[in-house]
Amino acid sequence: MRVVLTGASGGIGSALAQALLQQGAHLLLVSRSADKLQTLQARLGSASVSTLVADVTQAQDRAKIVAAAISFQANVLINNAGIPSFGALQPLPPEQLEAVLHTNLLAPILLTQGLLPHLTRQAAAHVLNIGSVLGRLGLPGYSVYCASKFGLRGFSEALRRELQFTPVRVQYLGPRATQTTFNDAAAARYQQHTGTHTDTPQQVAQAALRLLQSADAECFLGFPEKWAVKLNAVAPQMLDRAFRSHTEFVMKGE
């Protein structure tokens, strides 16, 4: 695998870079942070790792990523860059809503579109979108984040079907809450209050590897999250009461 990985310097991104490298992949790591990229590259300590400082929300930077990916002869794109959003919808600043939807949804769509002509010329290629279990399960306090991840999952599903007769396989990974610095203190209190289970970034990375090596379209992590995703697909209102404590926490603004 010759992998372009966005959001590489974050918790899941760095764990995924390590896991891919251990499997013999060549990596082009993309992040907005030059310092974090440099630290990660030094930690990985491999000639198989290249880096690119770029912001996926900026058109000129996406063009840089596409050009670098073609030169790198990439056959895997992992859209992992993302930003959080937690809290009741009403007080959220409009610019935060725009940033979340731009980063988590529009940017990976545009980057995939830009790289697709190259990927379809490969003997075999992958697009792996790192989403969230909240791409299939609407949770109080995460309306905007859910919107971005529901959109990313829908994009993945539709594009997978669109490209089914090409060499490109499109997949979606839905982690549950992960032990990183991604969420703020309020989200952490929410998780503690509601008894949310978490995984390590390494567990998410291993799940991503398994998905890449499989023919599966998507994968969601954790129990009861997997069960809730299935129930939500057929009887969503049955879960409304199950999230009562989540709603109370959010609406109290704790």
Side-chain angles (χ1 to χ4, degrees), residues 1 16-26 206 209-210 213:
M1 293 185 291
L16 188 49
Q18 181 70 58
L20 287 162
L21 189 62
Q22 290 173 348
Q23 292 297 313
H26 293 259
Q206 290 302 316
L209 280 183
R210 290 192 298 271
Q213 294 164 354

Side-chain angles (χ1 to χ4, degrees), residues 19-32:
L20 287 162
L21 189 62
Q22 290 173 348
Q23 292 297 313
H26 293 259
L27 306 177
L28 174 58
L29 305 180
V30 181
S31 173
R32 292 180 299 180

Side-chain angles (χ1 to χ4, degrees), residues 1-252:
M1 293 185 291
R2 301 188 67 84
V3 182
V4 177
L5 173 62
T6 68
S9 62
I12 290 176
S14 57
L16 188 49
Q18 181 70 58
L20 287 162
L21 189 62
Q22 290 173 348
Q23 292 297 313
H26 293 259
L27 306 177
L28 174 58
L29 305 180
V30 181
S31 173
R32 292 180 299 180
S33 172
D35 290 343
K36 289 182 179 179
L37 268 184
Q38 186 177 11
T39 299
L40 177 59
Q41 186 176 29
R43 179 155 56 85
L44 295 174
S46 172
S48 298
V49 177
S50 303
T51 61
L52 177 65
V53 178
D55 183 343
V56 295
T57 67
Q58 302 300 311
Q60 64 272 25
D61 281 14
R62 287 194 302 272
K64 283 169 49 179
I65 297 170
V66 169
I70 293 171
S71 177
F72 182 68
Q73 299 181 328
N75 58 10
V76 179
L77 169 63
I78 302 181
N79 287 308
N80 175 64
I83 59 175
S85 177
F86 173 75
L89 176 63
Q90 187 171 336
L92 292 178
E95 57 271 21
Q96 181 180 334
L97 275 63
E98 293 176 359
V100 170
L101 293 172
H102 194 173
T103 306
N104 296 359
L105 179 57
L106 183 58
I109 291 175
L110 290 170
L111 183 57
T112 302
Q113 181 189 44
L115 196 52
L116 208 51
H118 168 76
L119 293 176
T120 55
R121 291 194 294 268
Q122 307 308 302
H126 293 260
V127 174
L128 174 58
N129 293 319
I130 307 296
S132 167
V133 70
L134 300 187
R136 268 199 181 272
L137 189 64
L139 204 60
Y142 286 97
S143 59
V144 179
Y145 186 76
C146 283
S148 70
K149 296 303 184 179
F150 264 73
L152 186 63
R153 188 197 58 78
F155 167 68
S156 304
E157 183 177 277
L159 188 63
R160 180 182 79 245
R161 293 167 178 168
E162 183 176 318
L163 299 178
Q164 62 182 311
F165 301 122
T166 77
V168 184
R169 178 182 297 167
V170 181
Q171 298 171 298
Y172 177 89
L173 181 68
R176 59 181 177 178
T178 309
Q179 298 164 22
T180 69
T181 58
F182 185 74
N183 290 306
D184 62 14
R189 290 194 298 272
Y190 173 90
Q191 291 173 5
Q192 184 177 16
H193 175 80
T194 57
T196 301
H197 299 282
T198 61
D199 291 319
T200 66
Q202 290 73 27
Q203 287 173 308
V204 177
Q206 290 302 316
L209 280 183
R210 290 192 298 271
L211 184 57
L212 282 169
Q213 294 164 354
S214 76
D216 295 340
E218 58 185 23
C219 173
F220 296 91
L221 304 188
F223 182 85
E225 287 80 3
K226 283 184 178 181
W227 172 84
V229 161
K230 292 180 179 179
L231 180 59
N232 195 59
V234 295
Q237 285 185 297
M238 289 185 65
L239 285 175
D240 289 356
R241 281 192 170 185
F243 294 129
R244 183 173 178 176
S245 65
H246 300 67
T247 299
E248 291 172 346
F249 183 95
V250 171
M251 300 313 293
K252 287 178 182 177

